[in-house]
Amino acid sequence: MRLLFLFFVLAGISCHVAAKGVKSVHVERRDIGETLGKFVLPVAIEGKGYISKEVWRSPKGIVCTVSLFEHSSQNRGTFECVSPELYKAQVALDCSDNSSAETAVYLFFGKVNSEGEVGNFYIWCE
C-alpha cells in the first residue's frame, strides 16, 4: 500500500514539473506592427538534448534557424540568421526569461532597402 501511495505522489510531482516545461518556441516576423509570418516549433527534446529548425528563408537566400538545447533542466537556445555571403547574426534565447510575446528576444537581420530581404524577428517560449 505504501509503495502504491509513493508511486502516485512521485507521478503527481513529475506531471507538475512537466506542466511547467517548455511546450513550444514561437518566432514572429514583423514589420511596423504587422505580423508577416509566424512559426511555432513544438518542443520534443527528450532523448535528443536539442532541436533545430529553419523558420525563414528570404527570396535571395538569407536563412534563419531556431535551436533549443536542454541545459540543467532549463531550455535555452539560439536564433540565428545567415546570409549567402556567410554574414551571421545570433541572439540567445532563455525560456525562463523569454516566456511570452512581451518578453521576447529581438533580432533584426537583412539587406537594408531590399524588399523581402529584411526581418524583424521576435522569439519566445511557451
Side-chain angles (χ1 to χ4, degrees):
M1 183 70 172
R2 285 184 185 180
L3 187 59
L4 187 59
F5 177 75
L6 181 62
F7 170 78
F8 284 121
V9 169
L10 292 177
I13 291 171
S14 64
C15 288
H16 179 70
V17 170
K20 286 186 170 185
V22 175
K23 294 180 177 125
S24 58
V25 176
H26 296 252
V27 178
E28 282 190 9
R29 182 172 166 250
R30 301 180 195 163
D31 188 24
I32 310 174
E34 180 183 353
T35 299
L36 302 176
K38 187 173 186 176
F39 187 86
V40 179
L41 178 64
V43 175
I45 291 181
E46 296 159 20
K48 289 184 178 179
Y50 73 95
I51 55 171
S52 184
K53 182 76 174 171
E54 180 181 310
V55 294
W56 182 72
R57 183 179 290 262
S58 76
K60 294 185 181 174
I62 297 171
V63 177
C64 296
T65 307
V66 65
S67 300
L68 195 65
F69 308 92
E70 193 171 50
H71 177 71
S72 302
S73 74
Q74 293 185 3
N75 293 308
R76 295 185 179 151
T78 61
F79 180 77
E80 66 180 34
C81 295
V82 180
S83 73
E85 301 83 18
L86 300 180
Y87 290 103
K88 178 178 176 178
Q90 183 178 43
V91 292
L93 175 65
D94 184 339
C95 291
S96 59
D97 293 336
N98 312 117
S99 58
S100 69
E102 290 78 28
T103 59
V105 65
Y106 169 77
L107 175 69
F108 168 83
F109 192 80
K111 187 173 182 183
V112 179
N113 295 326
S114 295
E115 190 173 327
E117 296 297 307
V118 297
N120 292 291
F121 297 97
Y122 296 83
I123 307 96
W124 70 92
C125 305
E126 275 191 355

